[in-house]
């Protein structure tokens, strides 16, 4: 008897998970849509949906258009059921954003980071201040927040608590989850920023519909998220995707990680600015920070042959790096994201051309190379999906 009850409970949770995931990613949908897309029976869909409406998890969203007969009612995730916080811990700033359950942005705050001062305690303090700020702005009680997702530079070692290894920040086995958890009772979910960007683009952006894709994050640093058969590839200890630290030029420019010739040493924002400064024979680049300096480079390229050459070289280096991704992983899509990639978006045709010269012809012809669709907020948005991904997997049951 106990076994039968446990089996029925497991089946019901699995059905809830399937229906919730479909509504979250593709809603609003009718009950008939859910029957067709999940393969569940009409009674099973009706029973589970009724329960979720009673719980306030799902809401009716008006009648669907009808060609005649009784119109079907559309269903959607209830936006105010719970709230989500996404955090982007970059190398130049910490961005904290609050979303409702339909992933509508409600509040946002940023804290600049001095590249020379990225101590873990300081970063944790910014995250905690941001959580308090965005919930206060939106009038959301902490108890209504499902969880906090955090995308961070470096390798995130998952375990009983997440530990971050980020050589570029000077972080070695930093217990980031413990540091932040000391100041909040909210559930924490920490992952690499390129991986959270990839999840956001898979769910809501340029990756929708793809089973095999690579999402490249180009900002101050460079990373990637590799999705194969619909799932993020992590490797033995979750460090897969450190694309920025693959070798582009043997014995080449010194990278922040300490090695020579890494891709990041050529196409990361800091490296691009350094190459531009060198091309100007040491003259400083206008701008107070990396973002304004990259913008100055792009603007200068309209009249300066030196600036144009730096951008042309950047497109070539980036194209060669993309070609390596195509040759290694045979993706349907390569999506370029991150603030620097967006700022250099006009280089996309040149990046495609350079990738075509370096990649094997057959996999290159099968792959599209495009910019991310979610902009500079993609890392924080993807981070906010971390708690909801677990919630959906567990059938919409709050732990």
């Amino acid at each position: 008897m106990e076994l039968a009850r446990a089996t029925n409970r497991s089946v019901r949770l699995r059905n809830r998970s399937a229906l919730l995931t479909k509504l979250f990613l593709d809603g609003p949908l009718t009950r008939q849509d859910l029957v067709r897309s999940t393969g569940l029976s009409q009674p099973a869909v009706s029973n589970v949906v009724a329960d979720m409406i009673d719980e306030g998890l799902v809401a009716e969203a008006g009648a669907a258009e009808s060609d005649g007969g009784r119109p079907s009612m559309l269903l959607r995730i209830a936006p105010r059921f719970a709230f989500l916080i996404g955090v982007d811990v970059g190398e130049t700033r910490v961005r904290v954003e609050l979303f409702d359950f339909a992933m509508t942005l409600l509040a946002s705050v940023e804290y600049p980071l001095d590249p020379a001062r990225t101590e873990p305690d300081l970063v944790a303090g910014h995250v905690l201040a941001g959580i308090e700020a965005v919930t206060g702005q939106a009038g959301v009680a902490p108890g209504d927040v499902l969880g906090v997702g955090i995308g961070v530079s470096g390798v995130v070692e998952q375990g009983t608590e997440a530990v971050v290894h980020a050589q570029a920040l000077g972080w070695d086995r930093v217990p980031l989850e413990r540091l932040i958890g000391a100041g909040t009772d909210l559930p924490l979910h920490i992952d690499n920023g390129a991986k959270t960007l990839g999840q956001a683009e898979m769910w809501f952006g340029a990756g929708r519909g793809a089973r095999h894709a690579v999402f490249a994050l180009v900002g101050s640093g460079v990373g990637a998220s590799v999705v194969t058969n619909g799932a993020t590839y992590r490797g033995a200890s979750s460090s897969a995707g450190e694309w920025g630290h693959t070798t582009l030029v043997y014995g080449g420019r010194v990278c922040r990680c300490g090695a020579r010739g890494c891709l990041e040493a050529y196409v990361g924002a800091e490296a691009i600015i350094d190459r531009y400064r060198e091309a100007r024979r040491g003259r400083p680049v206008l701008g107070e920070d990396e973002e304004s300096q990259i913008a100055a480079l792009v603007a200068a390229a309209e009249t300066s042959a030196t600036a144009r050459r730096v951008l042309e070289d950047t497109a070539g280096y980036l194209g060669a790096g993309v070609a390596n991704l195509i040759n290694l992983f045979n993706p349907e899509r390569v999506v370029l994201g991150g603030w620097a990639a967006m700022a250099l978006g006009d280089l996309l045709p040149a990046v495609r051309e350079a990738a075509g010269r370096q990649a094997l012809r057959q996999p290159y012809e099968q792959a599209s190379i495009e910019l991310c669709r979610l902009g500079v907020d993609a890392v924080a948005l993807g981070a906010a999906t971390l708690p909801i991904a677990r919630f959906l997997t567990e059938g919409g049951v709050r732990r």
Side-chain angles (χ1 to χ4, degrees), residues 202 207-214 226-232 330-333:
M202 279 295 288
R208 279 181 66 88
R211 299 293 294 169
H212 303 275
V214 180
V226 179
V227 173
T228 178
N229 203 28
T232 300
N330 186 207
E332 302 162 62
R333 297 175 203 168

Side-chain angles (χ1 to χ4, degrees), residues 62-380:
E65 291 185 9
S66 174
D67 295 330
R70 184 179 177 184
S72 298
M73 191 61 65
L74 287 166
L75 304 168
R76 66 171 181 171
I77 295 291
R80 309 293 289 186
F81 174 77
F83 300 87
L84 305 148
I85 293 175
V87 182
D88 175 3
V89 177
E91 296 176 12
T92 59
R93 69 189 59 205
V94 175
R95 177 184 283 116
V96 183
E97 298 183 339
L98 175 74
F99 302 86
D100 68 14
F101 213 54
M103 303 310 295
T104 301
L105 179 63
L106 302 178
S108 179
V109 66
E110 286 188 355
Y111 302 92
L113 279 179
D114 180 346
R117 291 202 61 218
T118 55
E119 294 90 347
D121 287 339
L122 177 66
V123 170
H126 285 331
V127 173
L128 291 168
I131 292 170
E132 185 175 352
V134 295
T135 53
Q137 286 176 30
V140 170
D144 292 331
V145 176
L146 183 67
V148 180
I150 302 165
V152 63
S153 302
V155 176
V156 180
E157 184 180 349
Q158 303 291 348
T160 53
E161 61 179 19
V163 174
V164 180
H165 308 258
Q167 287 177 232
L169 297 177
W171 291 10
D172 182 25
R173 292 193 56 80
V174 169
L176 189 62
E177 184 172 353
R178 186 193 313 162
L179 292 175
I180 298 171
T184 181
D185 293 327
L186 294 175
L188 301 176
H189 308 260
I190 302 178
D191 207 345
N192 170 266
K195 291 183 173 67
T196 70
L197 177 145
Q199 181 151 303
E201 291 289 337
M202 279 295 288
W203 281 20
F204 311 118
R208 279 181 66 88
R211 299 293 294 169
H212 303 275
V214 180
F215 300 90
L217 188 156
V218 183
S220 301
V222 177
S225 174
V226 179
V227 173
T228 178
N229 203 28
T232 300
Y233 177 70
R234 295 184 171 275
S237 59
S238 204
S239 72
E242 286 296 324
W243 176 54
H245 300 291
T246 56
T247 302
L248 183 69
V249 180
Y250 180 75
R253 298 174 63 87
V254 176
C255 181
R256 298 180 304 167
C257 73
R260 284 186 172 272
C262 295
L263 178 67
E264 184 176 300
Y266 292 85
V267 304
E270 181 180 313
I272 295 170
I273 294 164
D274 283 345
R275 290 193 293 107
Y276 185 34
R277 186 183 301 113
E278 291 168 8
R280 288 160 52 90
R281 299 180 181 178
R283 283 184 293 149
V285 180
L286 294 176
E288 297 179 352
D289 54 25
E290 289 182 358
E291 293 183 30
S292 58
Q293 289 173 320
I294 290 291
L297 166 60
V298 172
E302 295 181 8
T303 57
S304 166
T306 299
R308 281 196 300 275
R309 186 168 61 253
V310 170
L311 291 181
E312 288 167 1
D313 289 346
T314 300
Y317 294 137
L318 192 51
V322 168
N324 287 339
L325 294 175
I326 290 172
N327 289 344
L328 283 169
F329 299 111
N330 186 207
E332 302 162 62
R333 297 175 203 168
V334 177
V335 178
L336 302 177
W339 70 262
M342 302 305 293
L344 300 172
D346 288 347
L347 297 181
L348 185 60
V351 171
R352 288 174 175 148
E353 184 180 340
R357 289 195 300 269
Q358 297 297 123
L360 293 171
R361 186 182 305 113
Q362 192 265 351
Y364 173 77
E365 290 175 348
Q366 291 183 337
S368 66
I369 303 169
E370 53 196 272
L371 288 176
C372 82
R373 297 180 189 168
L374 301 176
V376 296
D377 288 336
V379 173

